[in-house]
Amino acid sequence: MRKKKTQQQIADECGISKSLLSKIENGQTSSAIATLSKISEALEVPLSWVLDDQAEQNLVLLPKTNRESNVTDENMGYSYELLANRSSYSGIEPTIVNVTPKDSNLRQESYTHSQDEFIYILKGSIYLYYDGNKHYMEVEDSAYFNGDKPHLFIPVDNEGAKVLSVFIDNQL
């Protein structure tokens, strides 16, 4: 409402249906980080504003015991944890991505978003599908890439994986 845009205008900008946008807005469904990133861009707000409803602060201390995992449905292939809420000042959004184990990970469609992305494998191993190529990555491997190219994290086995993912807004 502050941006004087309708749900339909936001949905069109994001390439999603108005119905899906409404369900996301009302907490009736979960959505991919890439979709939430597109919504944040259309609204001209930080991704953290969409992921977390807490006010932005100069110092963010977030003990592990206070961090909540935002669980998506298994079709999404992951859940995520927001690690800080400073993106409107820093242009950086650190996140933990918990990749669903292989047998329950149904996601096959790649993601895109406008931010650059840095990833570091904390636990397990994945195949990083990036711009049509498949790259094996394991603990302590890292990658930096443009988010506007199709990409997807696929678990190698049924252990799943934990990935530190840092979204970097290079337009600040």
Side-chain angles (χ1 to χ4, degrees):
M1 290 171 57
R2 283 185 215 136
K3 296 295 179 185
K4 298 183 179 165
K5 292 183 179 181
T6 66
Q7 273 189 332
Q8 188 64 58
Q9 288 171 318
I10 299 296
D12 290 346
E13 285 182 45
C14 298
I16 61 174
S17 69
K18 178 181 173 186
S19 171
L20 177 59
L21 179 62
S22 178
K23 287 178 182 178
I24 293 168
E25 182 178 13
N26 293 312
Q28 296 172 342
T29 189
S30 54
S31 185
I33 290 179
T35 301
L36 297 176
S37 175
K38 289 176 184 177
I39 293 169
S40 73
E41 289 172 27
L43 294 173
E44 299 174 24
V45 297
L47 179 59
S48 61
W49 186 84
V50 176
L51 295 175
D52 186 13
D53 59 1
Q54 295 181 12
E56 198 154 322
Q57 305 166 15
N58 290 331
L59 171 64
V60 178
L61 296 175
L62 192 56
K64 180 180 175 182
T65 55
N66 294 352
R67 197 167 59 232
E68 291 183 24
S69 178
N70 294 305
V71 179
T72 61
D73 87 36
E74 287 186 353
N75 292 328
M76 296 310 238
Y78 65 86
S79 64
Y80 57 90
E81 301 171 49
L82 188 63
L83 298 178
N85 187 12
R86 293 276 302 147
S87 65
S88 68
Y89 296 114
S90 67
I92 297 173
E93 197 66 62
T95 306
I96 296 288
V97 177
N98 297 294
V99 182
T100 305
K102 184 178 182 178
D103 286 348
S104 58
N105 191 319
L106 307 176
R107 181 74 187 190
Q108 295 181 14
E109 186 179 329
S110 298
Y111 297 107
T112 61
H113 48 79
S114 65
Q115 296 91 352
D116 285 355
E117 188 169 351
F118 168 81
I119 64 172
Y120 181 85
I121 310 302
L122 297 169
K123 178 181 174 188
S125 54
I126 64 168
Y127 291 111
L128 170 63
Y129 286 97
Y130 182 75
D131 199 22
N133 296 305
K134 180 178 169 180
H135 308 276
Y136 176 77
M137 298 183 71
E138 59 189 6
V139 173
E140 297 187 5
D141 287 349
S142 63
Y144 187 102
F145 53 89
N146 293 327
D148 61 357
K149 302 282 186 189
H151 60 280
L152 182 63
F153 303 165
I154 300 292
V156 171
D157 54 33
N158 280 318
E159 299 301 313
K162 185 175 278 202
V163 179
L164 171 64
S165 184
V166 180
F167 297 91
I168 301 130
D169 186 352
N170 55 16
Q171 298 176 356
L172 286 181

